[in-house]
Amino acid sequence: MGEKLRPKDIEVLIVHRPRYNDWSWPKGKNEGGEPIVTAAIREVEEETGVAVVLGQPLTTQRYRLGSGHTKEVHYWVGRGITSGPAVRARKPVERASRREIDETRWVSPQRAEQLLSRRGDRRLLHETMALAAEGTLVTVPFLLVRHAKAVARSSWEGREADRPLTRLGVRQSVDVMDLLAAFGVETLIASPWMRCMSTVGPYVTATGAQLHT
């Protein structure tokens, strides 16, 4: 267990959507098949201007739309950042228009309880405060990443330690950057084998994150 936080020690960031005239958590849709965690940090920054890293996952919300389809929204506890490897690894984002989001506010949990329009959003607030009370709101992420796609053993004649990534693996190593940045990874430990070093290499080069072998 970590440090237990009191409501007075916490502020949360909410947004106002003029189209619906409601207050909610920042959220949006993934674009072009991007991973959900990448979409999460991008949408928060687009709607609020605040760069975040993800922490504890919260309960996934599901609700039925007017069209009859079911919408599924994933949430995490987030922490705002202004510097570090996670910031350097990210592409610039364009702020949402005022037609989409016309106001953002940092508020106390008590004020958020009053402002949040949807019952599901208030449940997420209660879940967050329960984590704070039990000392598990602030966490340190630990990510276990398998190396990207490597050349098959059957077609490689060199040393096993020197077996490289395929073209697909090289593209995957670039995609891994977004996942590591989403959780604010600052230190990496990797096998010295080429395919492992090549998987995390783009992130280390772009961010200056610490790499240990």
Side-chain angles (χ1 to χ4, degrees):
M1 293 292 182
E3 180 184 359
K4 296 181 179 181
L5 300 177
R6 296 168 295 180
K8 71 175 186 177
D9 300 320
I10 297 171
E11 283 190 323
V12 296
L13 183 59
I14 59 176
V15 298
H16 184 262
R17 303 183 299 174
R19 177 181 177 184
Y20 305 102
N21 191 27
D22 69 358
W23 286 94
S24 71
W25 303 114
K27 58 182 179 292
K29 300 176 181 178
N30 61 326
E31 298 177 351
E34 67 183 340
I36 293 174
V37 293
T38 305
I41 61 172
R42 176 185 52 75
E43 285 288 348
V44 170
E45 189 168 358
E46 284 182 0
E47 294 190 355
T48 69
V50 177
V52 299
V53 293
L54 304 181
Q56 280 272 33
L58 299 173
T59 301
T60 298
Q61 300 286 301
R62 297 178 180 86
Y63 50 91
R64 190 171 296 278
L65 303 175
S67 63
H69 294 93
T70 298
K71 185 173 185 178
E72 182 174 277
V73 188
H74 300 263
Y75 291 90
W76 287 263
V77 174
R79 173 174 56 85
I81 56 172
T82 57
S83 61
V87 172
R88 293 192 289 271
R90 297 181 189 180
K91 307 176 185 70
V93 300
E94 184 177 347
R95 285 294 301 272
S97 72
R98 290 187 60 82
R99 293 189 302 275
E100 182 180 353
I101 302 294
D102 63 353
E103 187 176 354
T104 64
R105 286 189 195 177
W106 286 100
V107 297
S108 68
Q110 295 88 341
R111 184 59 176 151
E113 176 81 34
Q114 297 169 348
L115 288 173
L116 287 169
S117 304
R118 293 188 62 254
R119 184 185 307 168
D121 285 348
R122 294 192 294 274
R123 283 200 297 264
L124 290 169
L125 176 66
H126 302 159
E127 183 178 352
T128 300
M129 298 314 298
L131 293 173
E134 68 183 21
T136 57
L137 180 63
V138 180
T139 57
V140 177
F142 179 88
L143 277 65
L144 182 62
V145 180
R146 190 180 188 276
H147 65 75
K149 181 69 174 178
V151 171
R153 289 189 181 92
S154 59
S155 59
W156 178 249
E157 297 180 353
R159 294 194 316 149
E160 177 64 12
D162 296 333
R163 187 155 56 93
L165 299 181
T166 63
R167 290 182 180 179
L168 172 60
V170 172
R171 293 196 297 272
Q172 290 174 336
S173 71
V174 175
D175 293 338
V176 164
M177 291 178 60
D178 292 334
L179 298 176
L180 297 176
F183 291 95
V185 172
E186 297 183 358
T187 303
L188 300 98
I189 302 173
S191 164
W193 286 17
M194 180 177 292
R195 57 186 177 273
C196 300
M197 296 292 286
S198 297
T199 298
V200 298
Y203 184 78
V204 173
T205 299
T207 66
Q210 298 181 51
L211 174 62
H212 303 278
T213 58

Short mmCIF file of all heavy atoms in Angstrom, two decimals, residues 65-124:
data_model
loop_
_atom_site.label_atom_id
_atom_site.label_comp_id
_atom_site.label_asym_id
_atom_site.label_seq_id
_atom_site.Cartn_x
_atom_site.Cartn_y
_atom_site.Cartn_z
N LEU A 65 -26.38 3.44 -27.03
CA LEU A 65 -26.60 4.68 -27.75
C LEU A 65 -28.00 4.70 -28.35
O LEU A 65 -28.69 3.67 -28.40
CB LEU A 65 -25.56 4.84 -28.87
CG LEU A 65 -24.09 4.82 -28.42
CD1 LEU A 65 -23.18 4.84 -29.64
CD2 LEU A 65 -23.79 5.98 -27.50
N GLY A 66 -28.42 5.86 -28.82
CA GLY A 66 -29.73 5.98 -29.45
C GLY A 66 -29.87 5.10 -30.67
O GLY A 66 -30.97 4.67 -31.03
N SER A 67 -28.73 4.80 -31.33
CA SER A 67 -28.75 3.95 -32.52
C SER A 67 -28.96 2.48 -32.19
O SER A 67 -29.17 1.66 -33.08
CB SER A 67 -27.42 4.10 -33.27
OG SER A 67 -26.35 3.64 -32.46
N GLY A 68 -28.88 2.16 -30.89
CA GLY A 68 -29.01 0.76 -30.48
C GLY A 68 -27.68 0.08 -30.25
O GLY A 68 -27.63 -1.02 -29.69
N HIS A 69 -26.58 0.70 -30.69
CA HIS A 69 -25.26 0.14 -30.48
C HIS A 69 -24.80 0.39 -29.04
O HIS A 69 -25.25 1.34 -28.39
CB HIS A 69 -24.25 0.76 -31.45
CG HIS A 69 -24.50 0.42 -32.88
ND1 HIS A 69 -25.25 1.22 -33.71
CD2 HIS A 69 -24.12 -0.65 -33.63
CE1 HIS A 69 -25.32 0.67 -34.91
NE2 HIS A 69 -24.64 -0.47 -34.89
N THR A 70 -23.92 -0.48 -28.56
CA THR A 70 -23.36 -0.32 -27.22
C THR A 70 -22.00 0.34 -27.32
O THR A 70 -21.14 -0.09 -28.09
CB THR A 70 -23.22 -1.68 -26.51
OG1 THR A 70 -24.51 -2.26 -26.36
CG2 THR A 70 -22.58 -1.50 -25.13
N LYS A 71 -21.80 1.40 -26.55
CA LYS A 71 -20.53 2.11 -26.52
C LYS A 71 -19.73 1.64 -25.32
O LYS A 71 -20.26 1.49 -24.22
CB LYS A 71 -20.76 3.62 -26.45
CG LYS A 71 -19.48 4.44 -26.54
CD LYS A 71 -19.79 5.92 -26.63
CE LYS A 71 -18.54 6.75 -26.85
NZ LYS A 71 -18.86 8.20 -27.00
N GLU A 72 -18.43 1.41 -25.52
CA GLU A 72 -17.54 0.96 -24.45
C GLU A 72 -16.43 1.98 -24.30
O GLU A 72 -15.75 2.32 -25.26
CB GLU A 72 -16.97 -0.42 -24.80
CG GLU A 72 -16.07 -1.01 -23.73
CD GLU A 72 -15.64 -2.42 -24.07
OE1 GLU A 72 -16.42 -3.36 -23.79
OE2 GLU A 72 -14.54 -2.59 -24.63
N VAL A 73 -16.26 2.48 -23.08
CA VAL A 73 -15.26 3.52 -22.82
C VAL A 73 -14.34 3.05 -21.70
O VAL A 73 -14.80 2.66 -20.63
CB VAL A 73 -15.92 4.86 -22.41
CG1 VAL A 73 -14.86 5.96 -22.34
CG2 VAL A 73 -17.01 5.25 -23.40
N HIS A 74 -13.03 3.10 -21.97
CA HIS A 74 -12.02 2.68 -21.00
C HIS A 74 -11.44 3.91 -20.30
O HIS A 74 -11.16 4.92 -20.95
CB HIS A 74 -10.90 1.90 -21.70
CG HIS A 74 -11.37 0.67 -22.39
ND1 HIS A 74 -11.30 -0.59 -21.83
CD2 HIS A 74 -11.96 0.49 -23.61
CE1 HIS A 74 -11.80 -1.48 -22.67
NE2 HIS A 74 -12.20 -0.85 -23.75
N TYR A 75 -11.23 3.79 -19.00
CA TYR A 75 -10.73 4.92 -18.21
C TYR A 75 -9.52 4.48 -17.37
O TYR A 75 -9.41 3.33 -16.97
CB TYR A 75 -11.81 5.43 -17.25
CG TYR A 75 -12.97 6.12 -17.92
CD1 TYR A 75 -14.09 5.40 -18.33
CD2 TYR A 75 -12.96 7.49 -18.14
CE1 TYR A 75 -15.16 6.03 -18.94
CE2 TYR A 75 -14.03 8.13 -18.75
CZ TYR A 75 -15.13 7.40 -19.14
OH TYR A 75 -16.19 8.02 -19.75
N TRP A 76 -8.66 5.46 -17.12
CA TRP A 76 -7.53 5.28 -16.22
C TRP A 76 -7.42 6.50 -15.31
O TRP A 76 -7.87 7.59 -15.67
CB TRP A 76 -6.21 5.18 -16.99
CG TRP A 76 -5.99 3.91 -17.74
CD1 TRP A 76 -5.27 2.82 -17.34
CD2 TRP A 76 -6.48 3.59 -19.06
NE1 TRP A 76 -5.28 1.86 -18.31
CE2 TRP A 76 -6.02 2.30 -19.37
CE3 TRP A 76 -7.26 4.27 -19.99
CZ2 TRP A 76 -6.31 1.68 -20.58
CZ3 TRP A 76 -7.56 3.66 -21.19
CH2 TRP A 76 -7.09 2.38 -21.48
N VAL A 77 -6.80 6.31 -14.17
CA VAL A 77 -6.33 7.45 -13.40
C VAL A 77 -5.15 8.03 -14.17
O VAL A 77 -4.29 7.30 -14.66
CB VAL A 77 -5.87 7.02 -11.99
CG1 VAL A 77 -5.24 8.20 -11.25
CG2 VAL A 77 -7.04 6.45 -11.20
N GLY A 78 -5.11 9.34 -14.33
CA GLY A 78 -4.02 9.98 -15.06
C GLY A 78 -3.31 11.01 -14.19
O GLY A 78 -3.89 11.53 -13.24
N ARG A 79 -2.08 11.28 -14.55
CA ARG A 79 -1.28 12.29 -13.84
C ARG A 79 -0.69 13.24 -14.87
O ARG A 79 -0.09 12.82 -15.85
CB ARG A 79 -0.17 11.60 -13.05
CG ARG A 79 0.83 12.53 -12.40
CD ARG A 79 1.80 11.76 -11.52
NE ARG A 79 2.51 10.71 -12.24
CZ ARG A 79 3.63 10.91 -12.95
NH1 ARG A 79 4.15 12.12 -13.03
NH2 ARG A 79 4.22 9.90 -13.57
N GLY A 80 -0.88 14.54 -14.64
CA GLY A 80 -0.35 15.53 -15.56
C GLY A 80 1.16 15.62 -15.51
O GLY A 80 1.76 15.49 -14.45
N ILE A 81 1.80 15.81 -16.67
CA ILE A 81 3.25 15.94 -16.74
C ILE A 81 3.59 17.12 -17.65
O ILE A 81 2.82 17.49 -18.53
CB ILE A 81 3.93 14.67 -17.27
CG1 ILE A 81 3.36 14.28 -18.65
CG2 ILE A 81 3.77 13.52 -16.29
CD1 ILE A 81 4.10 13.16 -19.33
N THR A 82 4.77 17.69 -17.44
CA THR A 82 5.23 18.79 -18.29
C THR A 82 6.58 18.53 -18.92
O THR A 82 7.02 19.28 -19.79
CB THR A 82 5.31 20.09 -17.47
OG1 THR A 82 6.19 19.90 -16.35
CG2 THR A 82 3.93 20.51 -16.95
N SER A 83 7.27 17.48 -18.49
CA SER A 83 8.60 17.18 -19.02
C SER A 83 8.89 15.70 -18.85
O SER A 83 8.08 14.95 -18.29
CB SER A 83 9.67 18.01 -18.30
OG SER A 83 9.69 17.69 -16.91
N GLY A 84 10.06 15.26 -19.35
CA GLY A 84 10.46 13.88 -19.20
C GLY A 84 10.31 13.09 -20.49
O GLY A 84 9.80 13.58 -21.49
N PRO A 85 10.76 11.83 -20.48
CA PRO A 85 10.73 11.00 -21.69
C PRO A 85 9.35 10.88 -22.31
O PRO A 85 9.22 10.89 -23.54
CB PRO A 85 11.23 9.64 -21.17
CG PRO A 85 12.10 9.97 -20.01
CD PRO A 85 11.44 11.15 -19.35
N ALA A 86 8.31 10.76 -21.49
CA ALA A 86 6.97 10.57 -22.04
C ALA A 86 6.52 11.75 -22.87
O ALA A 86 5.80 11.60 -23.86
CB ALA A 86 5.97 10.32 -20.91
N VAL A 87 6.94 12.95 -22.49
CA VAL A 87 6.60 14.15 -23.27
C VAL A 87 7.39 14.18 -24.56
O VAL A 87 6.86 14.47 -25.64
CB VAL A 87 6.85 15.42 -22.44
CG1 VAL A 87 6.69 16.67 -23.30
CG2 VAL A 87 5.88 15.48 -21.26
N ARG A 88 8.69 13.87 -24.48
CA ARG A 88 9.55 13.94 -25.66
C ARG A 88 9.17 12.91 -26.72
O ARG A 88 9.46 13.09 -27.90
CB ARG A 88 11.01 13.77 -25.25
CG ARG A 88 11.54 14.93 -24.40
CD ARG A 88 13.05 14.86 -24.26
NE ARG A 88 13.49 13.77 -23.40
CZ ARG A 88 13.64 13.88 -22.08
NH1 ARG A 88 13.35 15.02 -21.47
NH2 ARG A 88 14.07 12.85 -21.37
N ALA A 89 8.53 11.81 -26.31
CA ALA A 89 8.20 10.75 -27.25
C ALA A 89 6.92 11.02 -28.04
O ALA A 89 6.64 10.33 -29.01
CB ALA A 89 8.05 9.42 -26.50
N ARG A 90 6.16 12.02 -27.64
CA ARG A 90 4.83 12.19 -28.22
C ARG A 90 4.81 13.18 -29.37
O ARG A 90 5.56 14.14 -29.40
CB ARG A 90 3.84 12.65 -27.14
CG ARG A 90 3.68 11.61 -26.06
CD ARG A 90 2.71 12.04 -25.00
NE ARG A 90 2.74 11.11 -23.88
CZ ARG A 90 2.00 11.23 -22.79
NH1 ARG A 90 1.16 12.24 -22.69
NH2 ARG A 90 2.09 10.34 -21.83
N LYS A 91 3.89 12.91 -30.28
CA LYS A 91 3.67 13.83 -31.39
C LYS A 91 2.81 15.00 -30.90
O LYS A 91 1.97 14.84 -30.02
CB LYS A 91 2.95 13.11 -32.54
CG LYS A 91 3.63 11.83 -33.00
CD LYS A 91 2.78 11.16 -34.07
CE LYS A 91 3.38 9.81 -34.47
NZ LYS A 91 3.24 8.81 -33.39
N PRO A 92 3.00 16.18 -31.47
CA PRO A 92 2.14 17.32 -31.10
C PRO A 92 0.68 17.01 -31.43
O PRO A 92 0.38 16.33 -32.41
CB PRO A 92 2.68 18.46 -31.97
CG PRO A 92 4.06 18.05 -32.37
CD PRO A 92 4.02 16.55 -32.46
N VAL A 93 -0.21 17.50 -30.60
CA VAL A 93 -1.64 17.31 -30.85
C VAL A 93 -2.31 18.66 -31.02
O VAL A 93 -1.87 19.66 -30.47
CB VAL A 93 -2.33 16.52 -29.72
CG1 VAL A 93 -1.71 15.15 -29.55
CG2 VAL A 93 -2.27 17.29 -28.40
N GLU A 94 -3.37 18.67 -31.80
CA GLU A 94 -4.13 19.89 -32.04
C GLU A 94 -5.28 19.97 -31.05
O GLU A 94 -6.02 18.99 -30.86
CB GLU A 94 -4.66 19.90 -33.47
CG GLU A 94 -5.39 21.17 -33.85
CD GLU A 94 -5.83 21.16 -35.30
OE1 GLU A 94 -5.36 20.29 -36.06
OE2 GLU A 94 -6.64 22.03 -35.68
N ARG A 95 -5.43 21.11 -30.40
CA ARG A 95 -6.50 21.27 -29.41
C ARG A 95 -7.87 21.14 -30.07
O ARG A 95 -8.09 21.57 -31.20
CB ARG A 95 -6.39 22.63 -28.72
CG ARG A 95 -5.28 22.75 -27.71
CD ARG A 95 -5.51 21.85 -26.50
NE ARG A 95 -6.75 22.14 -25.80
CZ ARG A 95 -6.87 23.05 -24.83
NH1 ARG A 95 -5.81 23.78 -24.46
NH2 ARG A 95 -8.03 23.25 -24.22
N ALA A 96 -8.79 20.55 -29.33
CA ALA A 96 -10.17 20.44 -29.79
C ALA A 96 -10.78 21.83 -29.93
O ALA A 96 -10.42 22.76 -29.20
CB ALA A 96 -10.97 19.61 -28.79
N SER A 97 -11.71 21.96 -30.85
CA SER A 97 -12.35 23.26 -31.07
C SER A 97 -13.27 23.59 -29.90
O SER A 97 -13.69 22.70 -29.14
CB SER A 97 -13.17 23.23 -32.36
OG SER A 97 -14.34 22.45 -32.19
N ARG A 98 -13.59 24.86 -29.77
CA ARG A 98 -14.49 25.28 -28.69
C ARG A 98 -15.92 24.79 -28.93
O ARG A 98 -16.74 24.82 -28.01
CB ARG A 98 -14.46 26.81 -28.54
CG ARG A 98 -13.14 27.32 -27.96
CD ARG A 98 -13.22 28.81 -27.66
NE ARG A 98 -14.27 29.14 -26.71
CZ ARG A 98 -14.15 29.03 -25.39
NH1 ARG A 98 -13.03 28.57 -24.86
NH2 ARG A 98 -15.15 29.37 -24.60
N ARG A 99 -16.21 24.35 -30.14
CA ARG A 99 -17.51 23.74 -30.38
C ARG A 99 -17.59 22.37 -29.72
O ARG A 99 -18.68 21.90 -29.40
CB ARG A 99 -17.77 23.60 -31.88
CG ARG A 99 -17.93 24.92 -32.62
CD ARG A 99 -18.40 24.70 -34.04
NE ARG A 99 -17.48 23.86 -34.79
CZ ARG A 99 -16.40 24.32 -35.42
NH1 ARG A 99 -16.10 25.61 -35.39
NH2 ARG A 99 -15.62 23.50 -36.09
N GLU A 100 -16.43 21.74 -29.54
CA GLU A 100 -16.40 20.42 -28.90
C GLU A 100 -16.22 20.54 -27.39
O GLU A 100 -16.96 19.94 -26.61
CB GLU A 100 -15.26 19.58 -29.49
CG GLU A 100 -15.17 18.18 -28.91
CD GLU A 100 -14.04 17.37 -29.53
OE1 GLU A 100 -13.40 17.85 -30.48
OE2 GLU A 100 -13.79 16.25 -29.04
N ILE A 101 -15.21 21.32 -26.97
CA ILE A 101 -14.94 21.55 -25.55
C ILE A 101 -14.77 23.05 -25.35
O ILE A 101 -13.84 23.65 -25.91
CB ILE A 101 -13.64 20.83 -25.10
CG1 ILE A 101 -13.72 19.32 -25.35
CG2 ILE A 101 -13.36 21.13 -23.62
CD1 ILE A 101 -14.77 18.60 -24.54
N ASP A 102 -15.65 23.66 -24.58
CA ASP A 102 -15.55 25.11 -24.41
C ASP A 102 -15.03 25.53 -23.04
O ASP A 102 -14.80 26.71 -22.79
CB ASP A 102 -16.88 25.80 -24.70
CG ASP A 102 -17.99 25.39 -23.74
OD1 ASP A 102 -17.77 24.48 -22.91
OD2 ASP A 102 -19.08 25.98 -23.81
N GLU A 103 -14.82 24.55 -22.14
CA GLU A 103 -14.27 24.90 -20.83
C GLU A 103 -13.67 23.66 -20.18
O GLU A 103 -14.20 22.55 -20.31
CB GLU A 103 -15.35 25.48 -19.91
CG GLU A 103 -14.81 26.02 -18.60
CD GLU A 103 -15.87 26.67 -17.73
OE1 GLU A 103 -17.03 26.81 -18.19
OE2 GLU A 103 -15.55 27.03 -16.58
N THR A 104 -12.54 23.84 -19.50
CA THR A 104 -11.95 22.78 -18.68
C THR A 104 -11.75 23.34 -17.28
O THR A 104 -11.49 24.53 -17.11
CB THR A 104 -10.60 22.31 -19.24
OG1 THR A 104 -9.66 23.39 -19.19
CG2 THR A 104 -10.73 21.83 -20.69
N ARG A 105 -11.88 22.48 -16.29
CA ARG A 105 -11.72 22.93 -14.91
C ARG A 105 -11.01 21.88 -14.06
O ARG A 105 -11.33 20.69 -14.14
CB ARG A 105 -13.08 23.19 -14.24
CG ARG A 105 -13.81 24.42 -14.68
CD ARG A 105 -15.02 24.65 -13.77
NE ARG A 105 -15.95 25.60 -14.35
CZ ARG A 105 -17.11 25.92 -13.78
NH1 ARG A 105 -17.46 25.37 -12.62
NH2 ARG A 105 -17.92 26.78 -14.36
N TRP A 106 -10.04 22.35 -13.25
CA TRP A 106 -9.51 21.55 -12.16
C TRP A 106 -10.40 21.84 -10.95
O TRP A 106 -10.55 23.00 -10.55
CB TRP A 106 -8.07 21.94 -11.83
CG TRP A 106 -7.06 21.46 -12.82
CD1 TRP A 106 -6.47 22.17 -13.82
CD2 TRP A 106 -6.49 20.14 -12.89
NE1 TRP A 106 -5.58 21.39 -14.51
CE2 TRP A 106 -5.57 20.14 -13.96
CE3 TRP A 106 -6.68 18.97 -12.14
CZ2 TRP A 106 -4.83 19.01 -14.31
CZ3 TRP A 106 -5.95 17.84 -12.49
CH2 TRP A 106 -5.04 17.87 -13.56
N VAL A 107 -10.99 20.81 -10.39
CA VAL A 107 -11.92 21.01 -9.28
C VAL A 107 -11.67 19.97 -8.19
O VAL A 107 -11.03 18.93 -8.42
CB VAL A 107 -13.39 20.90 -9.74
CG1 VAL A 107 -13.73 22.00 -10.74
CG2 VAL A 107 -13.68 19.53 -10.35
N SER A 108 -12.18 20.24 -7.01
CA SER A 108 -12.10 19.28 -5.91
C SER A 108 -13.04 18.11 -6.20
O SER A 108 -13.98 18.23 -7.00
CB SER A 108 -12.51 19.96 -4.61
OG SER A 108 -13.90 20.28 -4.65
N PRO A 109 -12.81 16.97 -5.56
CA PRO A 109 -13.75 15.86 -5.74
C PRO A 109 -15.19 16.23 -5.38
O PRO A 109 -16.13 15.79 -6.04
CB PRO A 109 -13.19 14.78 -4.81
CG PRO A 109 -11.73 15.08 -4.72
CD PRO A 109 -11.65 16.58 -4.75
N GLN A 110 -15.34 17.04 -4.33
CA GLN A 110 -16.69 17.44 -3.93
C GLN A 110 -17.37 18.26 -5.03
O GLN A 110 -18.55 18.05 -5.33
CB GLN A 110 -16.63 18.26 -2.63
CG GLN A 110 -16.15 17.48 -1.42
CD GLN A 110 -14.64 17.51 -1.27
OE1 GLN A 110 -13.90 17.80 -2.22
NE2 GLN A 110 -14.17 17.21 -0.06
N ARG A 111 -16.62 19.17 -5.65
CA ARG A 111 -17.19 19.99 -6.72
C ARG A 111 -17.46 19.13 -7.96
O ARG A 111 -18.47 19.33 -8.64
CB ARG A 111 -16.25 21.14 -7.06
CG ARG A 111 -16.79 22.11 -8.09
CD ARG A 111 -18.09 22.73 -7.65
NE ARG A 111 -18.56 23.73 -8.60
CZ ARG A 111 -19.85 24.02 -8.79
NH1 ARG A 111 -20.78 23.38 -8.09
NH2 ARG A 111 -20.20 24.95 -9.66
N ALA A 112 -16.58 18.19 -8.24
CA ALA A 112 -16.79 17.29 -9.37
C ALA A 112 -18.08 16.49 -9.19
O ALA A 112 -18.83 16.27 -10.14
CB ALA A 112 -15.60 16.35 -9.54
N GLU A 113 -18.33 16.06 -7.97
CA GLU A 113 -19.57 15.32 -7.67
C GLU A 113 -20.80 16.15 -8.05
O GLU A 113 -21.79 15.62 -8.56
CB GLU A 113 -19.61 14.98 -6.18
CG GLU A 113 -20.87 14.29 -5.71
CD GLU A 113 -20.87 12.80 -5.99
OE1 GLU A 113 -19.79 12.19 -5.93
OE2 GLU A 113 -21.96 12.27 -6.26
N GLN A 114 -20.72 17.45 -7.83
CA GLN A 114 -21.84 18.33 -8.14
C GLN A 114 -21.97 18.59 -9.64
O GLN A 114 -23.08 18.73 -10.17
CB GLN A 114 -21.67 19.67 -7.40
CG GLN A 114 -21.69 19.55 -5.89
CD GLN A 114 -21.25 20.84 -5.21
OE1 GLN A 114 -20.73 21.75 -5.85
NE2 GLN A 114 -21.45 20.91 -3.90
N LEU A 115 -20.82 18.67 -10.34
CA LEU A 115 -20.84 19.09 -11.74
C LEU A 115 -21.02 17.93 -12.72
O LEU A 115 -21.68 18.12 -13.76
CB LEU A 115 -19.54 19.83 -12.07
CG LEU A 115 -19.39 21.23 -11.47
CD1 LEU A 115 -17.99 21.77 -11.76
CD2 LEU A 115 -20.44 22.18 -12.04
N LEU A 116 -20.43 16.79 -12.46
CA LEU A 116 -20.49 15.70 -13.44
C LEU A 116 -21.94 15.31 -13.73
O LEU A 116 -22.73 15.05 -12.82
CB LEU A 116 -19.71 14.48 -12.92
CG LEU A 116 -18.19 14.63 -12.94
CD1 LEU A 116 -17.53 13.50 -12.16
CD2 LEU A 116 -17.65 14.68 -14.37
N SER A 117 -22.27 15.27 -15.01
CA SER A 117 -23.66 15.11 -15.42
C SER A 117 -24.13 13.66 -15.41
O SER A 117 -25.28 13.38 -15.07
CB SER A 117 -23.86 15.70 -16.82
OG SER A 117 -23.46 17.05 -16.86
N ARG A 118 -23.23 12.73 -15.80
CA ARG A 118 -23.63 11.33 -15.93
C ARG A 118 -23.36 10.55 -14.65
O ARG A 118 -22.33 10.73 -14.00
CB ARG A 118 -22.90 10.67 -17.10
CG ARG A 118 -23.28 11.20 -18.47
CD ARG A 118 -22.64 10.35 -19.58
NE ARG A 118 -23.11 8.98 -19.54
CZ ARG A 118 -22.38 7.95 -19.12
NH1 ARG A 118 -21.14 8.13 -18.69
NH2 ARG A 118 -22.88 6.73 -19.12
N ARG A 119 -24.30 9.67 -14.33
CA ARG A 119 -24.14 8.83 -13.15
C ARG A 119 -22.88 7.97 -13.26
O ARG A 119 -22.16 7.77 -12.28
CB ARG A 119 -25.37 7.93 -12.99
CG ARG A 119 -25.35 7.07 -11.73
CD ARG A 119 -26.52 6.11 -11.71
NE ARG A 119 -27.78 6.81 -11.91
CZ ARG A 119 -28.93 6.21 -12.17
NH1 ARG A 119 -28.98 4.89 -12.29
NH2 ARG A 119 -30.04 6.92 -12.34
N GLY A 120 -22.61 7.46 -14.47
CA GLY A 120 -21.42 6.63 -14.66
C GLY A 120 -20.14 7.39 -14.37
O GLY A 120 -19.18 6.83 -13.82
N ASP A 121 -20.09 8.68 -14.74
CA ASP A 121 -18.91 9.49 -14.45
C ASP A 121 -18.75 9.70 -12.94
O ASP A 121 -17.63 9.72 -12.42
CB ASP A 121 -19.02 10.84 -15.16
CG ASP A 121 -18.75 10.74 -16.65
OD1 ASP A 121 -18.27 9.68 -17.09
OD2 ASP A 121 -19.03 11.71 -17.37
N ARG A 122 -19.86 9.85 -12.24
CA ARG A 122 -19.77 10.01 -10.79
C ARG A 122 -19.31 8.71 -10.13
O ARG A 122 -18.59 8.74 -9.13
CB ARG A 122 -21.11 10.48 -10.23
CG ARG A 122 -21.50 11.89 -10.69
CD ARG A 122 -22.66 12.45 -9.89
NE ARG A 122 -23.90 11.71 -10.11
CZ ARG A 122 -24.76 11.95 -11.10
NH1 ARG A 122 -24.50 12.91 -11.99
NH2 ARG A 122 -25.87 11.24 -11.22
N ARG A 123 -19.72 7.57 -10.69
CA ARG A 123 -19.24 6.29 -10.16
C ARG A 123 -17.72 6.18 -10.30
O ARG A 123 -17.03 5.66 -9.42
CB ARG A 123 -19.93 5.13 -10.87
CG ARG A 123 -21.36 4.88 -10.41
CD ARG A 123 -21.81 3.47 -10.77
NE ARG A 123 -21.84 3.27 -12.22
CZ ARG A 123 -22.93 3.40 -12.97
NH1 ARG A 123 -24.09 3.75 -12.41
NH2 ARG A 123 -22.89 3.19 -14.26
N LEU A 124 -17.19 6.66 -11.43
CA LEU A 124 -15.74 6.64 -11.62
C LEU A 124 -15.04 7.54 -10.60
O LEU A 124 -13.95 7.22 -10.11
CB LEU A 124 -15.39 7.09 -13.04
CG LEU A 124 -15.76 6.12 -14.15
CD1 LEU A 124 -15.62 6.79 -15.51
CD2 LEU A 124 -14.90 4.86 -14.09
#
